[in-house]
Amino acid sequence: MIRTAFLRIIPLILCGCSLAFSAKATEPDSIRTVERQWLFGVGRTNLLDTYLSPLEYTGPSLSVNHRTDRLAHFGQKRISVISHYGAQVARTASPTEDAHAWDMSVRAIGGLVRQWKPSDRWRVAAGGLVDGAVGMTYNTRNGNNPAQARFEVSVDADILAEYAFPLLNKTARVRAELTAPLFGVAFTPRFGQSYYELVSLQLRDRNCIFSQVVNAPSARFATTIDLPLFGACVSVGFLSDIRQSKFHGIKHHCWQNQFVVGYTRTLSICR
Amino acid sequence: MRNPFYLLISLCFCFVSCITEEVAQDTPMGNFETCWKIFDEHYCFFDLKRQQTGLDWDEVYQRYRPMIADNMTNMQLFEVLGNMVRELQDGHVNIYAAHDVIRYGAWFDDYPDNYYESLVKNYLGRAEEYKRASTLDYRVLDDNVGYIRCETFSSLFGTGNLEQIMEALAGCRGLIIDVRSNGGGMLTAAQRLASLFFNEPMTLSYICHKTGPGHNAFSNPEPIVEEPFHGLRWQKPVCILTNRRTYSAANSFVMFLKGLPNITVVGDKTGGGAGLPFTSELPNGWLVRFSACPMYDRNMVMTEQGIDPDIRVNIDHSDYINGIDTIIETARRHITESDDNGD
């Protein structure tokens, strides 16, 4: 239910912002671009959650990510609305492979960036995003502490750079984007709190915690190259998603490095 | 740095660093250190054990560390770690390896069994003579006393299970719930079975958890409140049968109900096990289990060391030879007397 509510809130906030500013928009008949990208990733995950085990688990992971980047109706073509939706799943094993842990999460990010175009080939942008994620890690061997749930909402800083260059009479593009949470709120059990207390008894003990770059230093870096190929735009690249936290003495990290492949579509909208 | 946003980003990455856990290597010493540390930071009964047995976990470390050698075999390491964690004298403490499980069993090995399946069979009868709802076997005994054998709380009883049992036994003058040699399972199952025996929301017990690695870092105890069962509830005398192997969630079941009107605990002291167990693991893959969340009864009394019965009775040897379960007979007699006295 929390996830559903959150997924509903994000578009509402973005729509609200858009509507508020679009009332002031005074640029009729302009061309605006909307870029949509799907990326499918495969790679390795390094997982640690000391609530479940002091050992680091490693294993393969898969992800699917969708990104939308469109020029806002306001801001005189200097503001873009960016959104990311993604899901990942990883099956990891303990160092001795006696135990396994499944990790899965769903993430939605949206916000505004201010963009600059120093030249025709370059585009750089920076801004702020609202980031929400739910997820869990399930250890197949544990007893009363078999799983760890995650829920976090944060405000992220986002910077991106794009460079377009000619390739076989068409235009290719390299893109890099870095997103890092600055502050927010996150769910966590206390050091030795059981989910029996949290779920069955509905007992709370400071389980909602203020997160910031010191207790939750995380970052997501994605770099892709968009290649025009047979009339489509194929994207290949690398995604590094570093999620870390240390709440109430419970250390968690999920380091994911994936090769991604997908496609990008750019639509021009004439208004 | 004219734009404050760049400054913010730069500051952000100054703080970013890897969050990792320092884990010793998979060597005998590494596994020993990790094992000791897991208990040191997460085990919840150090104070209780110090009061009852004089346990000093730091002294345990000093005593066992010299026994670890780089060239020792896995079996030797298992034996040393087993001896070390047995110092805790806790039935919820285990180390699981492929070849064996470290366990502490003095809480039942040093006492009479007080439960024999062959004797219970004399009361339940053949398979077609008693009913089974989920993991509960039940029937009406000859003297119109209901008997429920609950051998485990490992699965949750459905509402329908309990409704059907209550309906089948509603005409009985009293009820016996036999949780002897019930090693526990799900606390929620124990709560649900207990909810048959009170009519208002009831504080059954208290629970707390560790808030940090310190031996005394605990949260405030919070009440475990249970709603009464929504269907037919039991209002007549109840005897709960216990022995030393009544442990963990079964111990909690007794803890939830002992002291309530109409409830009488008959048999031997329970085994205890009042700490919700968590699991962790060693670098070599051995699974470690330990008590993590202590529970107290509704008077804030710790029941880790067991619960005394209201009527203490052991199975008599001559009764055993004659196929009679002395504890069941004592309970039947108590119910009959209560019924005759109009309680």
Side-chain angles (χ1 to χ4, degrees):
Chain A
M1 270 180 74
I2 294 169
R3 175 186 145 202
T4 310
F6 179 74
L7 289 175
R8 282 179 187 161
I9 286 169
I10 288 291
L12 283 175
I13 292 170
L14 295 176
C15 287
C17 291
S18 299
L19 287 172
F21 284 98
S22 64
K24 298 175 186 174
T26 56
E27 286 188 356
D29 302 321
S30 60
I31 295 174
R32 299 179 187 282
T33 57
V34 178
E35 186 177 287
R36 294 199 172 98
Q37 184 181 58
W38 280 97
L39 291 176
F40 303 92
V42 58
R44 296 285 294 176
T45 291
N46 181 304
L47 185 67
L48 169 75
D49 195 314
T50 56
Y51 183 80
L52 305 173
S53 168
L55 308 182
E56 290 183 5
Y57 283 49
T58 54
S61 60
L62 299 171
S63 73
V64 55
N65 298 280
H66 178 260
R67 177 178 64 82
T68 303
D69 186 343
R70 70 172 173 81
L71 211 53
H73 297 300
F74 52 91
Q76 299 173 329
K77 294 189 177 180
R78 288 195 295 258
I79 305 293
S80 283
V81 179
I82 286 182
S83 64
H84 293 271
Y85 302 96
Q88 67 82 24
V89 61
R91 185 180 187 270
T92 59
S94 65
T96 55
E97 301 198 346
D98 287 299
H100 292 88
W102 286 89
D103 185 83
M104 53 208 84
S105 64
V106 177
R107 182 170 294 278
I109 306 173
L112 304 174
V113 292
R114 164 75 158 86
Q115 60 182 3
W116 295 269
K117 290 191 173 175
S119 71
D120 285 346
R121 291 188 173 186
W122 279 98
R123 175 196 177 219
V124 292
L129 309 176
V130 176
D131 180 347
V134 292
M136 68 172 294
T137 305
Y138 173 68
N139 189 303
T140 56
R141 197 165 69 148
N142 279 13
N144 285 315
N145 54 329
Q148 174 74 296
R150 291 187 301 279
F151 172 71
E152 58 205 30
V153 178
S154 62
V155 173
D156 298 0
D158 184 69
I159 53 173
L160 66 90
E162 292 174 355
Y163 176 73
F165 58 96
L167 183 71
L168 302 174
N169 295 327
K170 294 187 177 178
T171 303
R173 189 184 61 172
V174 176
R175 185 179 197 278
E177 183 176 11
L178 179 68
T179 310
L182 298 176
F183 60 88
V185 291
F187 161 82
T188 177
R190 290 301 292 267
F191 182 75
Q193 190 176 17
S194 63
Y195 276 85
Y196 166 69
E197 292 167 270
L198 279 163
V199 179
S200 300
L201 304 178
Q202 302 276 305
L203 298 176
R204 303 284 179 263
D205 185 10
R206 294 183 226 167
N207 301 117
C208 201
I209 197 167
F210 179 71
S211 62
Q212 23 73 13
V213 292
V214 176
N215 65 5
S218 302
R220 180 182 185 277
F221 177 71
T223 180
T224 54
I225 180 165
D226 302 333
L227 302 168
L229 202 66
F230 306 119
C233 185
V234 175
S235 303
V236 293
F238 178 75
L239 172 66
S240 182
D241 197 1
I242 308 299
R243 299 286 155 190
Q244 304 184 118
S245 64
K246 186 181 177 185
F247 301 143
H248 293 320
I250 299 171
K251 293 178 183 174
H252 168 81
H253 78 223
C254 181
W255 302 334
Q256 290 195 325
N257 294 299
Q258 295 183 331
F259 290 102
V260 290
V261 61
Y263 64 93
T264 306
R265 283 193 310 167
T266 304
L267 304 174
S268 295
I269 300 170
C270 190
R271 292 169 62 94
Chain B
M1 291 292 171
R2 280 180 303 176
N3 191 329
F5 182 76
Y6 293 136
L7 182 63
L8 194 62
I9 292 288
S10 306
L11 276 174
C12 163
F13 284 96
C14 288
F15 288 116
V16 170
S17 60
C18 289
I19 289 181
T20 56
E21 177 75 347
E22 219 172 275
V23 179
Q25 291 193 325
D26 181 10
T27 61
M29 188 56 78
N31 285 299
F32 169 81
E33 295 280 356
T34 306
C35 183
W36 184 86
K37 187 182 172 197
I38 286 171
F39 282 93
D40 188 53
E41 294 186 346
H42 296 274
Y43 185 67
C44 69
F45 288 134
F46 280 122
D47 263 9
L48 180 76
K49 302 294 177 181
R50 188 171 60 240
Q51 289 164 20
Q52 293 182 337
T53 66
L55 177 86
D56 178 347
W57 195 237
D58 290 326
E59 183 274 330
V60 168
Y61 177 88
Q62 298 300 337
R63 191 150 37 91
Y64 281 86
R65 196 175 186 281
M67 300 180 199
I68 305 297
D70 285 342
N71 58 353
M72 69 194 305
T73 64
N74 263 351
M75 298 289 184
Q76 290 168 327
L77 177 66
F78 191 75
E79 187 179 340
V80 173
L81 295 186
N83 290 337
M84 180 175 79
V85 300
R86 279 196 197 96
E87 301 251 359
L88 296 165
Q89 299 186 16
D90 185 331
H92 273 147
V93 167
N94 302 102
I95 298 177
Y96 295 82
H99 69 283
D100 198 4
V101 178
I102 294 292
R103 58 209 182 276
Y104 172 75
W107 49 276
F108 59 85
D109 277 339
D110 294 346
Y111 302 94
D113 285 346
N114 279 323
Y115 175 78
Y116 302 100
E117 209 167 323
S118 58
L119 293 185
V120 169
K121 196 179 172 190
N122 293 339
Y123 293 84
L124 275 176
R126 293 168 57 86
E128 63 273 17
E129 291 178 302
Y130 63 90
K131 293 178 181 170
R132 174 171 290 172
S134 184
T135 54
L136 301 172
D137 295 342
Y138 64 101
R139 73 169 297 175
V140 180
L141 302 179
D142 294 341
D143 50 359
N144 197 28
V145 171
Y147 175 79
I148 300 175
R149 168 66 189 150
C150 176
E151 66 179 6
T152 179
F153 285 112
S154 60
S155 60
L156 198 57
F157 316 119
T159 303
N161 297 136
L162 298 182
E163 279 176 350
Q164 292 299 317
I165 293 173
M166 283 293 98
E167 213 166 283
L169 303 180
C172 295
R173 59 165 67 177
L175 183 62
I176 294 171
I177 302 180
D178 191 346
V179 289
R180 288 177 296 173
S181 297
N182 180 329
M186 300 166 70
L187 274 170
T188 43
Q191 285 172 234
R192 184 165 290 183
L193 188 60
S195 71
L196 293 172
F197 305 105
F198 47 82
N199 300 313
E200 301 290 336
M202 174 77 69
T203 297
L204 300 176
S205 65
Y206 289 84
I207 188 169
C208 61
H209 52 259
K210 292 204 71 179
T211 55
H215 286 193
N216 295 310
F218 287 101
S219 65
N220 292 324
E222 295 282 351
I224 296 177
V225 179
E226 181 71 16
E227 293 288 323
F229 185 61
H230 293 303
L232 193 62
R233 292 187 292 272
W234 193 263
Q235 311 293 332
K236 289 179 269 189
V238 180
C239 282
I240 302 172
L241 310 190
T242 56
N243 68 351
R244 292 279 176 167
R245 281 193 178 236
T246 301
Y247 194 72
S248 193
N251 181 74
S252 297
F253 174 74
V254 179
M255 177 177 76
F256 295 157
L257 293 178
K258 193 187 174 191
L260 294 186
N262 290 337
I263 303 287
T264 308
V265 180
V266 180
D268 199 357
K269 188 176 180 175
T270 63
L276 190 74
F278 271 22
T279 41
S280 189
E281 61 190 327
L282 304 184
N284 63 1
W286 292 348
L287 190 76
V288 175
R289 194 167 81 131
F290 52 88
S291 299
C293 301
M295 295 173 69
Y296 304 85
D297 73 6
R298 73 176 72 82
N299 300 313
M300 283 300 293
V301 174
M302 170 54 64
T303 61
E304 164 66 8
Q305 301 303 109
I307 300 167
D308 284 316
D310 298 311
I311 302 173
R312 187 183 290 270
V313 58
N314 291 326
I315 291 182
D316 187 75
H317 183 63
S318 58
D319 282 348
Y320 174 76
I321 290 170
N322 293 320
I324 294 170
D325 189 319
T326 319
I327 297 175
I328 292 179
E329 291 300 329
T330 305
R332 293 172 82 176
R333 204 161 42 246
H334 178 76
I335 287 171
T336 306
E337 287 167 3
S338 299
D339 191 38
D340 292 344
N341 293 336
D343 289 348

